[in-house]
């Protein structure tokens, strides 16, 4: 039998091209995820449509309330619509790209996290690039629809300037980051307690519902929870409040970016803590 | 750390604590609250030195600590005490760097993209491991020759047969040309033809590219045909380390022969022994075979014998003198038998 | 002997449904810890809705509802939703049985498939009320929970809830039965689930809806799930609101029997 060149592994490239390699890999993995989903086109289309319908239904509940009672704590239907849109688009973006965090419990329960750890990239990056949940685009469509129509109406009456639409997009992206940070922190808990589905209801589902309305309507403890421990309000409520002329300063527009940097750092720290616990205990 | 070792462990141990489960009403809640923990010692004091290019079988019963060891060597778990190096790297501190130098196949878990054509998985993995395009094309060509990948590259993974899928899994684990390969039950569930093919391939990888292979399996035939060295682990302890032949010599594992007659010879009784000339004995004697069972309905007799003393053809000839044989089958000892016997023999761990 | 035989027979017949019901209950019991945690989370949703109402309600109130009444309305519904709406799984079980082909065996059991399904579901819904609903109610009671003084109110509310739970189960039983004709029941399920929540009045009294929608909703079976029991409990309406539930129970039962018959025939035509 012929003996050929011994296998010697592949070396990692330099740090600058490594960044490019990560980008390329992420793109490749995401497009693979989309192509895989497209194998089940009918399923994809029907679940997207159902979710758009479900989302519009959610908004119709608020719309009915506003139609009947005119305002929520001094916010009219268009103003609430703008806040709703920003929150929903941000949440949707998180759900599209961060879906594996949403189902992270099963990685720990079924031991699939091991397969993430034998890869030559940071585990969080490997995890997030494993799948893209395209059907959650429904949330973005619905949020952009509600937010867009509301913003247009406000622009027409002069309550909002054209340029502010850019700020609203920025707030949506920041919200997506904050949702992701909260989800990473919550998923990290799975390394310690395994079962996190109930915890996710507390830290993700309930806060994202609460964040659809102006935070002023809530009792102080709930409002400040959403501005500190679970800082989702810093991405939507704080900037939108200023843009709609309901108080605050230009600093309100800096808050989302600062909050993103800080919360992603904290989340990353928690993730590493959890991962090292996984290394020492397994599951 | 030694240059001449592909895998080196020193007193590698792993223990962890699991909460004591409460049963009954609110059992789950009480487990959560209670701090009662039980220590599980999965791996104790494992010291191994595996040279580059060695093909080592790592065997033991379920829960013996095989996969915990493999998880420590691949950087998934960190040892409680002791040290490990794989290809000169420390799995615990250099997990990501090590990942580029090892291949891993978990027989029960797929690393391929289920809904996409097989080739797509290879392309993704080659990007993940930053394989140069030219080297990747070289890989595809070589592995097409070796494994016949070409016939199913465009088929979605979910439509592959198990044999095809395992070939694809192996290729996927080798795309970055790792010098060390960990295989966890790579032949599980395969039919005889697919198993043979898989073994042939593993042998080639091992000899052609000097890939060091650590194989855990439940199939002694895998070990028999592939590994020059076998490490037996039980309850976290290494109880044997050496060649399979010397292990067989030591533990004297009986082989089981099932013979189906056209009519069962009348005076056969289980527990009796059969001498080399076909004579019946009531107690064991040198070179005698034990009659384990007789099933009159299916006219089948099972005898146990030591292959080192009595070659299979000799046993067959003797059995034939007792009646007309319809069918025969040979049952090789299982890993569990092997471990049990190893534990029963006084001199346990041996060097190589 | 001759007289007691049919009686024993009858009790044997009902006994098996009773056994099924308790099995549905016990099946859930092993997850009690996580359900209790879940209940705390659900209470947070209740709190969100209560404060939402607080911020939109004019000081004069709305129709029959003053601000405290609205708090009571929300907390009552967040509690009873776990009995009449959330957690009904029979449609999923039927769909899975149709997909796997096990449905053929289930249909030939020596008992009514419909009653068998309903009985099991009832057990698990009673569990839902005790381990999910009541903890939610206890937590929301820190904001406000109405306790009627009149025993008759309790009686009529209980009856309305039992019928509401039955209607909720039969609704989703019918959703499940559609699996005999289509492989995907999600669209039907979502439609029914949304109608149940929206027209059922779980999150807001249906008088808030535009008048024509309200007119439709109040006589729909969905109103029997949350809106009618809540009005009885809060003593805004009397026992007469039981009637829609009685009528719908009968109508839906007839529907369900007919649908089961058609499904059975469809299965026989296909040869199992």
């Amino acid at each position: 039998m012929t003996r050929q060149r011994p296998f010697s592994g592949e070396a990692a490239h330099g740090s600058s091209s490594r960044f490019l390699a990560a980008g390329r890999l992420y793109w490749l993995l995401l497009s693979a995820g989309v192509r895989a989903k497209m194998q089940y086109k009918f399923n994809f289309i029907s679940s997207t449509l159902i979710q758009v319908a479900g989302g519009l239904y959610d908004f119709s509940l608020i719309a009915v309330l506003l139609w009947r009672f005119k305002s929520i704590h001094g916010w009219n239907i268009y103003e609430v619509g703008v806040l709703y849109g920003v929150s929903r688009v941000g949440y949707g973006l998180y759900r599209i790209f961060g879906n594996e965090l949403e189902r992270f419990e099963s990685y720990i329960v079924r031991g699939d996290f091991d397969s993430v750890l034998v890869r030559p990239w940071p585990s969080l990056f490997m995890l997030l690039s494993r799948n893209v949940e395209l059907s959650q685009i429904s949330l973005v469509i619905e949020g952009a629809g509600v937010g867009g129509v509301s913003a247009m109406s406000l622009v027409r009456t002069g309550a909002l300037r054209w340029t502010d639409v850019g700020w609203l997009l920025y707030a949506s992206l920041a919200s997506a980051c904050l949702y992701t940070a909260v989800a990473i922190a919550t998923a990290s808990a799975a390394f310690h307690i395994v079962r996190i589905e109930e915890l996710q209801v507390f830290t993700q589902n309930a806060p994202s519902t609460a964040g659809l309305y102006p935070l002023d309507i809530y009792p102080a403890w709930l409002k400040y929870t959403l501005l500190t421990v679970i800082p989702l309000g810093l991405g939507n409520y704080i900037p939108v409040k200023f843009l709609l002329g309901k108080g605050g300063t230009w600093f309100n527009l800096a808050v989302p970016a600062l909050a993103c940097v800080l919360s992603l750092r904290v989340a990353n720290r928690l993730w590493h803590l959890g991962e090292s616990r996984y290394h020492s205990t397994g599951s | 750390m030694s240059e001449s070792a592909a895998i080196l462990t020193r007193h590698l141990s792993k223990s962890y604590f699991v909460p004591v489960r409460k049963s009954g009403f609110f059992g789950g809640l009480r487990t959560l609250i209670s701090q009662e923990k039980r220590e599980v010692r999965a791996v104790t004091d494992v010291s191994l030195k595996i040279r580059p290019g060695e093909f080592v079988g790592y065997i033991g019963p379920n829960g013996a600590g095989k996969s915990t060891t493999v998880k420590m060597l691949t950087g998934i778990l960190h040892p409680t005490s002791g040290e490990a190096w794989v290809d000169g790297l420390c799995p615990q501190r250099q997990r990501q760097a090590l990942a580029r130098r090892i291949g891993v196949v978990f027989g029960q878990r797929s690393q391929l993209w289920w809904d996409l054509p097989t080739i797509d998985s290879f392309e993704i993995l080659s990007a993940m491991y930053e394989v140069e395009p030219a080297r990747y094309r070289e890989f595809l060509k070589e592995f097409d020759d070796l494994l016949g990948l070409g016939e199913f590259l465009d088929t979605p993974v979910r439509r592959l047969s198990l044999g095809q899928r395992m070939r694809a899994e192996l290729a996927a684990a080798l795309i970055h040309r790792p010098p060390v390969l960990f295989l966890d039950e790579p032949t599980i569930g395969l039919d005889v033809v697919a198993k043979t093919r898989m073994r042939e391939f593993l042998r080639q990888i091992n000899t052609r590219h000097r890939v060091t292979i650590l194989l855990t399996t439940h199939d002694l035939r895998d070990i028999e045909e592939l590994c020059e060295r076998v490490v037996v682990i039980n309850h976290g302890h290494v109880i044997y380390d050496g060649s399979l032949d010397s292990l067989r010599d030591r533990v004297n594992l009986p082989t089981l022969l099932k013979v189906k007659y056209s009519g069962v010879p009348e005076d056969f009784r289980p527990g009796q022994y059969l001498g080399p000339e076909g004579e019946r004995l009531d107690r064991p004697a040198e070179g005698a075979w034990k009659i384990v069972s007789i099933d009159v309905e299916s006219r089948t007799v099972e005898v146990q014998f030591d292959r080192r003393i009595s070659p299979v053809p000799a046993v067959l000839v003797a059995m034939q003198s007792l009646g007309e044989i319809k069918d025969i089958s040979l049952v090789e000892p299982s890993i569990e038998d092997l471990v049990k016997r190893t534990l029963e023999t006084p001199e346990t761990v041996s060097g190589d | 002997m001759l007289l007691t035989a049919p009686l024993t027979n009858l009790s044997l017949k009902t006994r098996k449904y009773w056994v099924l019901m308790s099995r549905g209950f016990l099946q859930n019991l092993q997850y009690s810890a996580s359900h209790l945690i879940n209940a705390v989370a659900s209470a947070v949703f209740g709190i969100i809705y209560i404060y939402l109402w607080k911020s939109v309600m004019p000081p004069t109130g709305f129709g029959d509802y003053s601000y405290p009444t609205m708090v009571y309305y929300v907390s009552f519904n967040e509690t009873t939703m776990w009995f009449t709406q959330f957690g009904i799984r029979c449609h999923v079980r039927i769909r899975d049985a149709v997909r796997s082909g096990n449905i053929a065996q289930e249909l030939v059991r020596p008992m009514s498939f419909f009653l068998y399904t309903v009985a099991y579901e009832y057990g698990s819904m009673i569990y839902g009320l005790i381990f999910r609903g009541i903890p939610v109610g206890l937590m929301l009671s820190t904001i406000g929970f109405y306790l009627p003084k009149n025993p008759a109110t309790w009686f009529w509310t209980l009856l309305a809830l039992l019928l509401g739970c039955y209607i909720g189960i039969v609704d989703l039983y019918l959703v499940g039965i559609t699996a005999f004709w289509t492989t995907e029941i999600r669209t039907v399920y979502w439609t029914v689930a949304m109608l149940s929540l929206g027209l059922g009045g779980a999150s807001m009294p249906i008088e808030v809806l535009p008048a024509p929608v309200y007119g439709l909703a109040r006589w729909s079976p969905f109103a029997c799930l949350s809106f009618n029991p809540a009005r009885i409990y809060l003593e805004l309406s009397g026992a007469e609101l039981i009637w829609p539930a009685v009528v719908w129970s009968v109508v839906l039962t007839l529907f369900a029997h007919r649908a089961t018959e058609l499904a059975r025939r469809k299965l026989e035509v296909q040869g199992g």
Side-chain angles (χ1 to χ4, degrees):
Chain A
M1 201 164 293
T2 50
R3 168 165 289 187
Q4 299 187 347
R5 205 161 20 147
F7 277 1
S8 55
E10 294 289 335
H13 297 169
S15 59
S16 64
S17 68
R18 195 159 160 73
F19 195 73
L20 279 176
R24 195 173 96 83
L25 176 59
Y26 189 66
W27 175 249
L28 207 62
L29 285 163
L30 290 198
S31 56
V34 173
R35 259 179 299 137
K37 284 273 149 44
M38 286 307 154
Q39 303 279 312
Y40 306 97
K41 263 193 212 79
F42 176 74
N43 206 340
F44 168 76
I45 293 169
S46 70
S47 60
T48 306
L49 286 179
I50 286 174
Q51 285 180 58
V52 171
L56 289 176
Y57 170 83
D58 278 355
F59 186 73
S60 73
L61 290 185
I62 314 176
V64 165
L65 279 186
L66 285 162
W67 166 77
R68 180 68 76 183
F69 300 109
K70 307 303 176 246
S71 78
I72 293 181
H73 213 89
W75 293 51
N76 66 31
I77 185 162
Y78 302 117
E79 292 167 332
V80 173
V82 164
L83 179 64
Y84 183 93
V86 166
S87 314
R88 220 39 177 192
V89 170
Y91 185 62
L93 289 173
Y94 151 67
R95 287 301 299 268
I96 293 173
F97 297 105
N99 196 59
E100 296 309 278
L101 292 166
E102 205 69 14
R103 47 182 293 269
F104 187 65
E105 181 181 304
S106 77
Y107 274 84
I108 299 294
V109 172
R110 306 207 321 231
D112 291 342
F113 192 60
D114 291 355
S115 326
V116 175
L117 284 177
V118 296
R119 298 299 186 199
W121 294 90
S123 57
L124 194 54
F125 172 62
M126 279 286 97
L127 180 79
L128 288 175
S129 59
R130 270 173 89 104
N131 195 10
V132 45
E133 194 54 51
L134 209 58
S135 66
Q136 301 288 355
I137 196 138
S138 56
L139 289 168
V140 179
I141 295 171
E142 173 225 333
V146 171
V149 170
S150 305
M152 287 309 115
S153 310
L154 291 174
V155 168
R156 220 171 293 130
T157 59
L160 203 67
R161 281 168 307 171
W162 267 111
T163 46
D164 291 340
V165 176
W167 285 111
L168 293 177
L169 286 175
Y170 152 78
S172 303
L173 290 176
S175 295
C177 272
L178 289 170
Y179 280 118
T180 310
V182 171
I184 292 172
T186 311
S188 303
F191 291 118
H192 306 271
I193 57 171
V194 182
R195 298 277 173 196
I196 53 161
E197 262 177 22
E198 314 297 345
L199 188 65
Q200 285 172 324
V201 178
F202 275 106
T203 62
Q204 292 169 240
N205 304 16
S208 63
T209 302
L212 296 174
Y213 316 107
L215 295 188
D216 302 304
I217 68 172
Y218 301 120
W221 64 267
L222 186 54
K223 176 175 173 179
Y224 289 110
T225 303
L226 292 171
L227 292 175
T228 53
V229 193
I230 306 172
L232 300 178
L234 300 180
N236 48 27
Y237 170 73
I238 294 291
V240 170
K241 180 180 169 181
F242 172 69
L243 291 171
L244 295 178
K246 296 186 181 296
T249 60
W250 281 99
F251 183 68
N252 284 37
L253 293 179
V255 167
L258 295 174
C260 282
V261 173
L262 192 68
S263 59
L264 282 172
R265 291 194 76 141
V266 171
N268 194 43
R269 185 88 206 94
L270 288 172
W271 179 266
H272 282 289
L273 252 151
E275 199 187 295
S276 68
R277 185 181 152 96
Y278 185 83
H279 284 308
S280 62
T281 57
S283 56
Chain B
M1 179 168 35
S2 161
E3 294 310 314
S4 65
I7 299 173
L8 184 69
T9 72
R10 280 200 201 119
H11 311 294
L12 198 62
S13 300
K14 176 81 196 169
S15 56
Y16 45 85
F17 292 88
V18 291
V20 176
R21 284 223 159 270
K22 306 270 185 205
S23 56
F25 212 64
F26 292 130
L29 198 62
R30 275 167 48 219
T31 309
L32 204 70
I33 295 164
S34 110
Q35 288 295 306
E36 213 179 318
K37 298 263 168 71
R38 188 166 55 86
E39 188 182 10
V40 176
R41 305 181 64 150
V43 169
T44 311
D45 201 24
V46 168
S47 297
L48 290 173
K49 182 178 175 183
I50 296 173
R51 278 185 295 274
E54 264 195 287
F55 201 137
V56 178
Y58 194 52
I59 61 176
N62 284 329
K66 294 185 305 266
S67 54
T68 306
T69 313
V70 172
K71 281 182 186 178
M72 282 192 278
L73 293 176
T74 49
I76 295 169
L77 292 182
H78 292 173
T80 313
S81 64
E83 296 162 301
W85 290 276
V86 176
D87 197 45
L89 297 173
C90 171
Q92 186 176 351
R93 285 187 298 275
Q94 297 163 289
R95 175 178 68 78
Q96 288 175 47
L98 178 67
R100 294 173 183 275
R101 313 191 55 79
I102 58 172
V104 186
V105 175
F106 294 116
Q108 318 259 44
R109 204 165 280 162
S110 179
Q111 54 176 328
L112 305 171
W113 277 255
W114 204 241
D115 291 316
L116 296 178
T118 313
I119 182 90
D120 289 23
S121 292
F122 294 149
E123 247 142 50
I124 293 165
L125 288 169
S126 81
M128 191 183 286
Y129 287 92
E130 299 171 74
V131 180
E132 302 285 349
R135 300 254 284 169
Y136 171 60
R137 281 192 297 274
E138 210 177 285
F139 156 86
L140 272 188
K141 196 182 166 312
E142 186 189 346
F143 279 69
D144 181 26
D145 293 346
L146 258 171
L147 287 163
L149 292 182
E151 62 184 78
F152 55 79
L153 275 180
D154 296 324
T155 314
V157 175
R158 64 167 192 278
R159 292 216 208 100
L160 299 184
S161 69
L162 188 57
Q164 289 175 325
R165 212 197 81 205
M166 285 316 292
R167 277 187 272 157
E169 296 279 355
L170 254 172
L174 290 166
I175 208 159
H176 52 297
R177 299 161 196 268
V180 180
L181 181 61
F182 294 95
L183 300 171
D184 187 18
E185 304 276 2
T187 57
I188 199 162
L190 296 184
D191 60 46
V192 182
V193 180
K195 270 186 184 174
T196 313
R197 196 160 179 191
M198 182 64 71
R199 288 179 193 133
E200 177 53 31
F201 173 66
L202 290 174
R203 206 178 352 252
Q204 293 220 22
I205 286 297
N206 176 240
T207 49
R208 271 198 193 189
H209 300 288
R210 280 193 89 210
V211 175
T212 312
I213 303 182
L214 186 71
L215 164 77
T216 72
T217 182
H218 256 85
D219 191 337
L220 269 187
R221 288 292 292 270
D222 287 345
I223 305 282
E224 208 158 37
E225 290 185 18
L226 294 170
C227 308
E228 61 252 44
R229 178 173 164 199
V230 53
V231 175
V232 185
I233 184 171
N234 190 40
H235 294 307
H237 291 271
V238 170
I239 57 171
Y240 178 84
D241 183 352
S243 73
L244 185 63
D245 282 343
S246 58
L247 178 62
R248 275 192 185 286
D249 283 350
R250 174 157 306 144
V251 301
N252 183 18
L253 266 186
T255 301
L256 192 72
L257 182 69
K258 286 188 188 179
V259 178
K260 185 172 178 172
Y261 288 98
S262 46
V264 178
E266 279 164 15
D267 46 349
F268 265 30
R269 273 204 326 272
Q272 271 190 329
Y273 289 81
L274 216 55
E277 309 297 330
E279 73 271 24
R280 254 134 289 175
L281 309 166
D282 282 329
R283 57 179 61 86
E286 179 71 21
W289 326 315
K290 186 180 182 182
I291 300 170
V292 183
S293 75
I294 298 164
D295 186 352
V296 180
E297 205 166 311
S298 67
R299 306 185 303 278
T300 305
V301 178
E302 288 182 359
V303 291
Q304 244 178 18
F305 60 97
D306 184 348
R307 278 175 101 169
R308 290 168 310 161
I309 302 165
S310 321
V312 179
V315 181
L316 268 179
V317 168
M319 298 293 284
Q320 209 160 15
S321 69
L322 299 170
E324 192 194 336
I325 293 179
K326 281 277 183 207
D327 194 15
I328 56 162
S329 62
L330 208 57
V331 184
E332 292 294 345
S334 70
I335 299 262
E336 279 71 19
D337 296 334
L338 193 91
V339 169
K340 204 168 144 239
R341 286 301 200 96
T342 312
L343 286 169
E344 284 163 2
T345 44
E347 338 94 276
T348 47
V349 183
S350 88
D352 47 331
Chain C
M1 277 289 275
L2 277 173
L3 273 173
T4 51
L7 271 178
T8 339
N9 234 339
L10 184 73
S11 74
L12 263 179
K13 254 187 191 147
T14 49
R15 210 182 93 86
K16 59 190 175 196
Y17 296 111
W18 174 251
V19 169
L20 273 166
M21 216 167 111
S22 42
R23 208 174 64 189
F25 183 90
L26 293 172
Q27 197 83 21
N28 281 286
L29 198 60
Q30 35 184 325
Y31 304 109
S32 52
S34 77
H35 288 164
L36 282 178
I37 301 172
N38 195 289
V40 181
S42 310
V44 177
F45 283 99
I47 291 169
I48 293 173
Y49 289 126
I50 287 174
Y51 282 98
L52 186 59
W53 272 109
K54 189 178 176 183
S55 66
V56 296
M57 285 263 287
T60 48
F62 167 74
D64 293 352
Y65 307 88
S66 63
Y67 172 64
T69 315
M70 193 55 87
V71 172
Y72 299 147
Y73 184 90
V74 174
S75 44
F76 176 80
N77 277 330
E78 290 289 317
T79 306
T80 56
M81 251 192 293
W82 293 99
F83 186 55
T84 59
Q85 299 217 16
F86 290 166
I88 301 177
R89 304 278 304 158
C90 59
H91 57 294
V92 178
R93 271 198 292 278
I94 296 173
R95 182 203 61 193
D96 292 347
V98 172
R99 276 190 188 168
S100 68
N102 288 346
I103 195 74
Q105 286 144 40
E106 302 216 8
L107 280 174
V108 297
R109 282 217 185 92
M111 51 176 119
S112 150
F113 177 72
F114 170 70
L115 285 180
Y116 154 83
T117 310
V118 169
Y120 183 89
E121 213 58 44
Y122 233 101
S124 79
M125 295 315 283
I126 290 172
Y127 171 90
L129 181 65
I130 296 174
F131 284 93
R132 296 178 154 216
I134 291 179
V136 170
L138 284 174
M139 273 173 283
L140 291 181
S141 69
T142 57
I143 305 180
F145 204 101
Y146 181 67
L147 292 175
K149 305 231 165 32
N150 186 354
T153 305
W154 285 93
F155 173 79
W156 292 118
T157 308
L158 191 66
L159 189 61
L161 284 174
L162 288 173
L163 288 168
C165 179
Y166 179 77
I167 290 169
I169 293 171
V170 179
D171 278 348
L172 290 185
Y173 175 87
L174 286 165
V175 170
I177 289 292
T178 62
F180 280 86
W181 289 272
T182 68
T183 45
E184 193 46 78
I185 63 167
R186 266 191 316 175
T187 318
V188 190
Y189 168 74
W190 273 97
T191 314
V192 172
M194 279 178 204
L195 290 174
S196 304
L197 278 175
L199 302 187
S203 35
M204 60 177 86
I206 53 181
E207 293 98 328
V208 175
L209 300 170
V213 185
Y214 167 61
L216 206 73
R218 64 185 300 198
W219 300 116
S220 74
F222 306 113
C224 307
L225 302 177
S226 294
F227 180 70
N228 292 351
R231 283 199 61 99
I232 297 175
Y233 184 76
L234 301 177
E235 296 174 325
L236 298 169
S237 300
E240 71 279 1
L241 272 190
I242 292 289
W243 284 111
V246 173
V247 172
W248 275 114
S249 295
V250 173
V251 171
L252 286 169
T253 307
L254 293 174
F255 258 140
H257 270 291
R258 182 81 192 119
T260 314
E261 257 337 287
L262 288 173
R264 199 186 289 273
R265 208 167 302 157
K266 162 119 171 106
L267 202 68
E268 277 157 11
V269 169
Q270 284 176 338

